[in-house]
Amino acid sequence: QVQLVESGGGSVQAGGSLRLSCEASGYTYSSYFMGWFRQGPGKEREGVACIDRDGRINYADSMKGRFTIYEDNAKNTLYLQMNSLKPEDTAMYYCAADTRFICDVWWFLRTNEYNYWGQGTQVTVSS
């Protein structure tokens, strides 16, 4: 059974940094599309960044240059390094996995289609 467990969220001031982790189990980690998503108060879930089995990486425009997605296949763990955090980054952050898709330019349009999700980790950025 596929399980995704996020950690690393917390409260920081604007300009600060956090690193989120998503530990995966129950499947062959390297064969999956993996992505980070977030849902802020009163907002729909949106894509943050993705990475796939062939090493393709994409970011949402507002995260480019501030966030970095990477993974450690030996640890079956996906990471999201977040720098220069802004109050508008406040949200619940989720990781997702799926074998059916790749991290192409349309990845963010399939937010509601990915099969496996973690429980989320809260990030709060104060001004």
Side-chain angles (χ1 to χ4, degrees), residues 33 49-52 56-59 100-110 114:
F33 159 98
C50 67
I51 187 168
D52 69 18
R56 282 176 286 252
I57 292 175
N58 276 297
Y59 295 93
R100 300 171 297 162
F101 301 111
I102 60 174
C103 180
D104 58 14
V105 294
W106 311 114
W107 69 279
F108 61 97
L109 297 176
R110 296 188 289 261
Y114 299 117

Side-chain angles (χ1 to χ4, degrees), residues 8-12 16-20 66-68 80-85 93 122-125:
S11 297
V12 295
S17 298
L18 283 174
R19 188 182 76 162
L20 306 183
R66 299 191 300 126
F67 292 6
T68 302
L80 184 70
Q81 177 67 44
M82 305 187 295
N83 299 327
S84 303
L85 284 162
Y93 283 71
Q122 178 68 39
V123 172
T124 303
V125 185

Side-chain angles (χ1 to χ4, degrees), residues 5 37 61 68 71 80:
V5 180
F37 298 80
D61 286 344
T68 302
E71 57 190 358
L80 184 70

Side-chain angles (χ1 to χ4, degrees), residues 106-119:
W106 311 114
W107 69 279
F108 61 97
L109 297 176
R110 296 188 289 261
T111 298
N112 295 324
E113 298 183 40
Y114 299 117
N115 265 340
Y116 304 107
W117 292 85
Q119 83 290 346

Side-chain angles (χ1 to χ4, degrees), residues 56-96:
R56 282 176 286 252
I57 292 175
N58 276 297
Y59 295 93
D61 286 344
S62 62
M63 288 70 162
K64 289 179 181 177
R66 299 191 300 126
F67 292 6
T68 302
I69 187 172
Y70 63 101
E71 57 190 358
D72 184 335
N73 287 336
K75 296 182 178 179
N76 288 355
T77 301
L78 178 73
Y79 300 97
L80 184 70
Q81 177 67 44
M82 305 187 295
N83 299 327
S84 303
L85 284 162
K86 306 174 182 180
E88 50 265 42
D89 294 318
T90 294
M92 185 72 79
Y93 283 71
Y94 301 89
C95 67

